[in-house]
C-alpha cells in the first residue's frame, strides 16, 4: 500500500475526516453472553433464558445451601454428593471466590460483610461461602456448596500464581487432577478468564487438558466492570476464535461475561447453570404438573418441553426458548432498537456505569 501511495505535494496537509463522518464500530460482543456458532447474532434467544427456566433458577437459588468439609488430596474419597458438580477453575486473582459468593449469596464477600474481618484459618470453619483473600493463591482446598439439593458448586484452587513455592503448586495440580479423575458427578468445568488480562498460557493448558479428558467446558469472562466495551469486545472475540477451533461436543455453546463484584451478568449465568440441574432432575419441567382436567401434552408444552417428552433436547442445546419463542433476554428489554452493547454509553473507564441491559 505504501509503494502505490501517491506523494503529497510539499505544504499540502492531509484531509482529516470530521469525527461525525468516521465509521463507528459498535462492540457487539460486549454482552452478558455470546453464542459461539454465531457471535454477532443479537436476536438469538437461548432456551435457558425462557421464562420457565428463569423462574426455575430464581427458585433454585433461593433454597438452602448445604456446606461440606473442605477437601484435600487425602480426603477426596469423601466428596461424594448426589447432585451434579459444577467445578470453577481459573488463575489466581481471577475473582473466582467473589463470583461464587455473588451467585450463591448475592454478596461478593458475605463472611466479612456479616461478621467483620475473618482470618484465613477462620474462613475454613465456615464453608457456606467461598473465602475471599487479598493475597492471590490462598485457596489450597476444595470448597463445595450444594444449592437447593440440585447442583454442587466446587471451588478449585487457583493456578498460575508465580509467588507460590514449587511444592505448593505441585500440590494444587495434584489435587485438581485427582478431583477431575474421581468426580463421577462432574457435569461441567467453568473456566474463568479475567476480561482485563485476557487468555493466558495456563488457561489454554487447562482447555487442552479438559478436551483430552472429554469434559464439558464453559468459559466465563470476569471483572467486566474494569474494562471498556471495546476492551471487552476484543477479549470476547479472542476467546470465541479460540473456542471455535476446539471440539464443540465438549464446549458449552455460550461464553458469558460477568462482574462478581457488582453482579452484572450474574442473573443470566444463574439461569445458564441451573439448566444442569433441570436437565439432570427434570426440575424445570417437573415444576409444572398437569392440572386436573388438563391433558399431559398441554401441560408439557406449558413447562417448556415438547409433547413427546422423552426425545426432548437438554434445555441448553435447544436453539430457541422451549417455553416461549417471544421471550426477550433482559439485556434487550428496551426493544429491538436497544444498544446491543451491555455497557454502551458508559465512560471508557466506567466501572460504576450501569449496563444498558439492567437499566
Amino acid at each position: 500500500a505504501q509503494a502505490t501511495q501517491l506523494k503529497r505535494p510539499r505544504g499540502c496537509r492531509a484531509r482529516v475526516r470530521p469525527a461525525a463522518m468516521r465509521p463507528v464500530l459498535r462492540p457487539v460482543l460486549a454482552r452478558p453472553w455470546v453464542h459461539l456458532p454465531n457471535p454477532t447474532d443479537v436476536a438469538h434467544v437461548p432456551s435457558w433464558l425462557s421464562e420457565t427456566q428463569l423462574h426455575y433458577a430464581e427458585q433454585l437459588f433461593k433454597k438452602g445451601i448445604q456446606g461440606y468439609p473442605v477437601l484435600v488430596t487425602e480426603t477426596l474419597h469423601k466428596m461424594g454428593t448426589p447432585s451434579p458438580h459444577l467445578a470453577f477453575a481459573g488463575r489466581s486473582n481471577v475473582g473466582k471466590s467473589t463470583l461464587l459468593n455473588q451467585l450463591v449469596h448475592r454478596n461478593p464477600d458475605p463472611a466479612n460483610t456479616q461478621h467483620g474481618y475473618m482470618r484465613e484459618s477462620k474462613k475454613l470453619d465456615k464453608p457456606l461461602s467461598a473465602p475471599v483473600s487479598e493475597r492471590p493463591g490462598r485457596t489450597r482446598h476444595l470448597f463445595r456448596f450444594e444449592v437447593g439439593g440440585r447442583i454442587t458448586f466446587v471451588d478449585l484452587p487457583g493456578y498460575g500464581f508465580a509467588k507460590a513455592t514449587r511444592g505448593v503448586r505441585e500440590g494444587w495440580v495434584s489435587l485438581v487432577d485427582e478431583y477431575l479423575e474421581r468426580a463421577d458427578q462432574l457435569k461441567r468445568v467453568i473456566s474463568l478468564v479475567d476480561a482485563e488480562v485476557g487468555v493466558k498460557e495456563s488457561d489454554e493448558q487447562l482447555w487442552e487438558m479438559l478436551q483430552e479428558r472429554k469434559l464439558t467446558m464453559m468459559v466465563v469472562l470476569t471483572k467486566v466492570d474494569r474494562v471498556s466495551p471495546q476492551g471487552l469486545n476484543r477479549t470476547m472475540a479472542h476467546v470465541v476464535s479460540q473456542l471455535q477451533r476446539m471440539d464443540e461436543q465438549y464446549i458449552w455453546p455460550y461464553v458469558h461475561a460477568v462482574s462478581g463484584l457488582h453482579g452484572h451478568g450474574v442473573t443470566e449465568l444463574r439461569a445458564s447453570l441451573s439448566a444442569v440441574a433441570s436437565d439432570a432432575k427434570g426440575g424445570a419441567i417437573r415444576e409444572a404438573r398437569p392440572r386436573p382436567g388438563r391433558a399431559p401434552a398441554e401441560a408439557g408444552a406449558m413447562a417448556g418441553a415438547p409433547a413427546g417428552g422423552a426425545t426432548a433436547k437438554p434445555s441448553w442445546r435447544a436453539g430457541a426458548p422451549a417455553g416461549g419463542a417471544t421471550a426477550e433476554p433482559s439485556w434487550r428489554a428496551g426493544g429491538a432498537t436497544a444498544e446491543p452493547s451491555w455497557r454502551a454509553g458508559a465512560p471508557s473507564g466506567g466501572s460504576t456505569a450501569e449496563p444498558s441491559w439492567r437499566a
Side-chain angles (χ1 to χ4, degrees), residues 47-294:
S47 61
W48 45 265
L49 272 183
S50 66
E51 292 184 7
T52 301
Q53 193 66 39
L54 286 171
H55 176 73
Y56 174 78
E58 184 69 19
Q59 297 302 314
L60 174 65
F61 282 88
K62 283 183 178 180
K63 296 180 180 179
I65 302 167
Q66 175 66 47
Y68 294 92
V70 296
L71 296 176
V72 294
T73 305
E74 294 75 16
T75 59
L76 278 177
H77 63 280
K78 301 179 181 180
M79 69 176 174
T81 54
S83 59
H85 283 201
L86 301 177
F88 289 74
R91 290 174 54 82
S92 298
N93 204 30
V94 76
K96 176 163 47 68
S97 297
T98 300
L99 176 59
L100 276 167
N101 289 331
Q102 188 69 254
L103 283 167
V104 176
H105 298 282
R106 302 175 189 269
N107 187 328
D109 192 2
N112 286 337
T113 301
Q114 299 172 8
H115 305 280
Y117 177 77
M118 297 178 63
R119 297 188 305 272
E120 300 296 328
S121 59
K122 193 73 174 177
K123 293 178 181 179
L124 298 180
D125 299 329
K126 187 178 178 60
L128 292 179
S129 62
V132 177
S133 174
E134 295 180 356
R135 290 181 290 175
R138 295 295 295 175
T139 303
R140 304 179 184 182
H141 311 78
L142 291 185
F143 290 81
R144 296 170 296 161
F145 316 100
E146 191 173 46
V147 181
R150 294 294 181 86
I151 51 176
T152 298
F153 291 166
V154 181
D155 183 4
L156 300 178
Y159 53 83
F161 186 52
K163 292 185 179 181
T165 64
R166 181 177 180 180
V168 171
R169 292 199 302 269
E170 290 177 352
W172 294 342
V173 173
S174 175
L175 176 60
V176 173
D177 189 70
E178 190 74 14
Y179 167 77
L180 296 178
E181 185 70 26
R182 291 177 174 236
D184 297 331
Q185 294 295 325
L186 181 61
K187 299 301 180 184
R188 192 185 302 175
V189 177
I190 292 87
S191 172
L192 304 181
V193 176
D194 191 328
E196 190 176 22
V197 176
V199 180
K200 294 296 184 180
E201 183 180 358
S202 53
D203 298 315
E204 295 175 346
Q205 292 174 352
L206 173 66
W207 297 357
E208 291 177 5
M209 183 265 289
L210 295 176
Q211 289 269 290
E212 292 174 357
R213 291 175 177 261
K214 298 182 179 180
L215 296 174
T216 301
M217 178 183 70
M218 170 185 189
V219 177
V220 176
L221 302 183
T222 62
K223 300 184 179 181
V224 298
D225 54 290
R226 295 189 176 186
V227 296
S228 65
Q230 290 75 18
L232 177 58
N233 189 85
R234 286 191 299 270
T235 303
M236 182 69 79
H238 179 60
V239 170
V240 167
S241 66
Q242 288 189 290
L243 295 180
Q244 287 179 338
R245 294 194 295 265
M246 298 182 180
D247 188 351
E248 64 178 6
Q249 183 178 355
Y250 303 106
I251 296 179
W252 170 262
Y254 298 91
V255 179
H256 290 257
V258 299
S259 168
L261 186 61
H262 299 289
H264 304 335
V266 173
T267 299
E268 285 78 0
L269 183 58
R270 284 197 196 100
S272 177
L273 297 176
S274 71
V276 175
S278 59
D279 288 343
K281 299 279 189 178
I285 297 175
R286 189 170 58 186
E287 294 295 336
R289 297 188 175 92
R291 297 179 184 177
R294 187 183 297 277

Side-chain angles (χ1 to χ4, degrees), residues 20-39:
M21 298 177 60
R22 298 173 189 170
V24 179
L25 299 178
R26 301 172 69 185
V28 294
L29 300 183
R31 295 182 277 128
W33 54 267
V34 169
H35 192 209
L36 273 176
N38 193 358

